[in-house]
Amino acid sequence: MQTRGRAVTLYLLLHAVHPNPIQRRLLALLRPEYFQYTDTRAVGVLVRCLLSYYEQLNQVPSKEALSALVADKLLEEQDDSTRSEALALIQQLYVPPPLEAFDPQVAQALFNHLVSNYYKTYLQTSLSGFSQVNFDDLIKETYERYRTATSLSTYPPDLIPEDLSCFFRTKDRVTTGIPFLDLYMNGGMEPGEVYTVLGSTGSGKTLLGLQLTYSTMLAAPANDEVALFYSYELPRDVLIARVVSMVSNIPISRLQAIYDDPTLAGEIGQPDEFDKIHRAVAFLNKYCYFRDFSGEQVDGKVYGSGGIPEITADIESILQEGRRVRSIVIDWSLAMIRREISAGRKSHDRIVHYLASFVQDFAIQVARKYNCAVWIFHQLSAEASKRSLHHVPDHTDAEWCKSFANYAWYSFSLSREDVETHLQYIACTKARRSMLRPPTVIRKTDYLAFAEVGGDYKFIPGVGIRGRQ
């Protein structure tokens, strides 16, 4: 036992035993194991008896009561030396200290230092024999426990200010560039928010994600901002072909005809078409970044198995270029998790756990940290995908995890396309800052972007899509 360790122990326990501003908070966070690497067993027994008494009776034991509890505990174990040390320490603790001996800030700093040392030693003793999967889980779990354990400071005053403008400002709201989404979202996206879009295979989730990426920048361009699209399923060449078709308003079949044989491109393509294509490419290169995280090689390297840290590292590099991120699209969540599983960074057995915290993790580590909006795409469950088109999928119909969208500000469901009419609908099933509205009937244009056709069609619950006439 080191003198420095005992001095820290005494100072913290003085704040736990005697009345002061952080006494109750300290008693709520203190744990016997925090002393196991820095002090003797006598301290651990003393703290355990102190906390047990406090939890049962909601008050600190008297010197006599704590001495009796410790003596009884150690008498059973016939540990005379530890009992003598613990009783001597109790005598020191209950000597009334002068008022100037209490300093909440110093006590908080020492407590954080004590907990830091505990978790550092805990990690060092736990790492041997761990696989990469277990290591990642151990680090995340330990960090969460440490963050909770060191929240000793009292909550700041939370009086409502006289100036309420900060609670109602809309100046940071920015259009999605897609009118029917803006209508659901009371004008558009806001930095720090996370949204989810659910849909079955083939419903057009990737197309909507691409449209979200370019449309916000097209509607409200800003030279210092970019929109990001992370694809964990489709390779870059497929994405670029689709998004160039969208922005140039040229059907993808026409682009294929023009460029299928490069030697004939000048003969087949019209001058105005090339002008549209060049302007589309210039716009996309300036305002939109498309990241191929599907597992395909990009310049000899493979990306996409690093999870959120890989994304934040990419964002940091963009910030170093002097650009800010306005919005991010993740296409799609389970594919991202599976890429980490294939790299040995996560366990397949915990997929539901990863999905349950997926949206919240992005909210904390990306949206709020970088002051941007995040769109996360996810599959509908097989059961929900099989239902008839007149049944509106809910955000609780997410594949693998019903609580997937719990932390989302808005959640949308994209229906399947009717094979005869090529119509489908999008529904907002969760809204935090506006009223819910009926589903909107939409259709893909020839250049693969979604457009509202609500003027001609409407969705009738329990019936489906019907013409207004």
Side-chain angles (χ1 to χ4, degrees):
M1 193 254 325
Q2 298 177 351
T3 303
R4 181 184 178 187
R6 175 54 57 87
V8 171
T9 298
L10 280 170
Y11 195 76
L12 289 175
L13 291 182
L14 279 173
H15 283 75
V17 169
H18 299 280
N20 67 88
I22 65 167
Q23 181 188 26
R24 288 186 172 274
R25 185 74 175 149
L26 182 59
L27 286 167
L29 294 175
L30 209 55
R31 297 290 181 271
E33 58 266 26
Y34 294 161
F35 300 93
Q36 73 182 72
Y37 299 122
T38 59
D39 217 311
T40 61
R41 182 170 177 272
V43 172
V45 173
L46 187 158
V47 173
R48 188 171 288 107
C49 291
L50 170 66
L51 296 178
S52 176
Y53 187 98
Y54 179 77
E55 289 172 3
Q56 293 180 32
L57 301 178
N58 196 32
Q59 64 182 31
V60 175
S62 64
K63 179 176 70 173
E64 292 74 20
L66 185 57
S67 298
L69 288 171
V70 170
D72 183 64
K73 174 70 175 176
L74 295 174
L75 185 62
E76 296 175 0
E77 303 177 13
Q78 297 182 347
D79 191 342
D80 293 336
S81 61
T82 301
R83 183 170 68 252
S84 298
E85 182 184 347
L87 293 176
L89 182 56
I90 292 173
Q91 293 295 327
Q92 288 181 270
L93 286 177
Y94 281 85
V95 175
L99 290 178
E100 58 268 20
F102 297 109
D103 189 325
Q105 292 184 341
V106 173
Q108 178 179 331
L110 290 176
F111 176 79
N112 291 350
H113 180 71
L114 175 74
V115 177
S116 299
N117 281 338
Y118 165 74
Y119 280 111
K120 181 174 68 175
T121 309
Y122 169 79
L123 281 174
Q124 290 172 345
T125 57
S126 302
L127 288 178
S128 59
F130 267 69
S131 65
Q132 181 65 44
V133 173
N134 289 333
F135 175 77
D136 288 348
D137 288 341
L138 175 67
I139 292 295
K140 184 174 181 179
E141 179 185 351
T142 302
Y143 171 70
E144 291 300 327
R145 289 171 60 190
Y146 168 77
R147 189 174 64 172
T148 302
T150 53
S151 58
L152 181 56
S153 56
T154 56
Y155 197 80
D158 58 352
L159 296 177
I160 299 175
E162 292 185 7
D163 181 6
L164 299 178
S165 60
C166 61
F167 299 107
F168 299 100
R169 68 180 187 274
T170 59
K171 62 180 182 180
D172 294 333
R173 193 169 302 167
V174 61
T175 176
T176 63
I178 304 176
F180 58 83
L181 287 182
D182 283 352
L183 193 61
Y184 282 121
M185 303 173 71
N186 197 25
M189 309 177 292
E190 288 195 6
E193 295 182 349
V194 178
Y195 319 113
T196 59
V197 179
L198 307 181
S200 57
T201 300
S203 60
K205 296 187 301 299
T206 298
L207 294 178
L208 182 58
L210 290 171
Q211 189 174 352
L212 279 164
T213 302
Y214 78 79
S215 60
T216 180
M217 303 307 301
L218 194 62
N223 289 331
D224 63 338
E225 290 186 333
V226 294
L228 306 179
F229 185 100
Y230 292 94
S231 174
Y232 288 87
E233 183 177 21
L234 297 180
R236 179 177 169 81
D237 56 345
V238 176
L239 299 176
I240 298 305
R242 293 181 178 184
V243 78
V244 168
S245 173
M246 291 176 169
V247 178
S248 66
N249 292 352
I250 299 175
I252 196 166
S253 58
R254 177 63 179 164
L255 291 173
Q256 289 171 338
I258 293 174
Y259 289 104
D260 187 48
D261 185 346
T263 61
L264 299 177
E267 300 177 14
I268 297 176
Q270 300 299 315
D272 64 319
E273 290 179 318
F274 286 113
D275 182 56
K276 289 180 179 179
I277 294 169
H278 292 156
R279 282 190 282 111
V281 171
F283 167 82
L284 291 169
N285 282 334
K286 182 175 182 179
Y287 293 111
C288 306
Y289 293 171
F290 301 93
R291 303 309 200 203
D292 184 349
F293 279 17
S294 67
E296 296 283 338
Q297 284 199 359
V298 179
D299 291 337
K301 296 181 180 180
V302 176
Y303 301 88
S305 61
I308 292 180
E310 185 175 24
I311 290 175
T312 57
D314 187 40
I315 294 173
E316 291 290 347
S317 66
I318 293 171
L319 295 178
Q320 289 180 351
E321 298 172 2
R323 312 291 296 275
R324 293 186 298 115
V325 175
R326 176 187 294 182
S327 65
I328 296 173
V329 170
I330 304 297
D331 185 35
W332 52 291
S333 53
L334 187 55
M336 176 179 173
I337 291 172
R338 284 175 173 161
R339 293 280 291 115
E340 293 182 84
I341 292 172
S342 66
R345 297 179 182 275
K346 287 187 173 179
S347 168
H348 184 274
D349 297 335
R350 303 193 69 192
I351 283 181
V352 175
H353 169 78
Y354 301 139
L355 286 172
S357 63
F358 196 89
V359 174
Q360 186 180 33
D361 289 344
F362 265 91
I364 296 172
Q365 300 179 46
V366 180
R368 296 172 193 166
K369 182 177 180 180
Y370 296 104
N371 200 37
C372 63
V374 177
W375 292 85
I376 298 176
F377 285 73
H378 187 63
Q379 291 279 95
L380 281 170
S381 66
E383 180 183 354
S385 298
K386 292 177 182 177
R387 294 173 186 155
S388 61
L389 282 174
H390 66 257
H391 177 86
V392 179
D394 190 65
H395 56 273
T396 59
D397 291 324
E399 185 180 25
W400 282 83
C401 181
K402 290 181 177 294
S403 60
F404 174 75
N406 275 7
Y407 293 97
W409 280 81
Y410 284 88
S411 187
F412 298 90
S413 295
L414 194 60
S415 78
R416 303 191 311 276
E417 180 181 326
D418 185 288
V419 294
E420 295 182 0
T421 64
H422 301 293
L423 297 173
Q424 58 192 115
Y425 61 83
I426 188 168
C428 180
T429 62
K430 178 182 180 182
R432 282 189 173 179
R433 52 177 168 81
S434 59
M435 301 291 289
L436 290 175
R437 302 175 61 87
T440 300
V441 182
I442 56 177
R443 174 188 279 158
K444 287 196 288 287
T445 63
D446 292 338
Y447 43 88
L448 303 178
F450 284 101
E452 181 181 356
V453 289
D456 300 321
Y457 300 91
K458 62 182 177 179
F459 178 85
I460 304 175
V463 177
I465 299 174
R466 294 291 184 269
R468 289 192 178 275
Q469 297 179 349

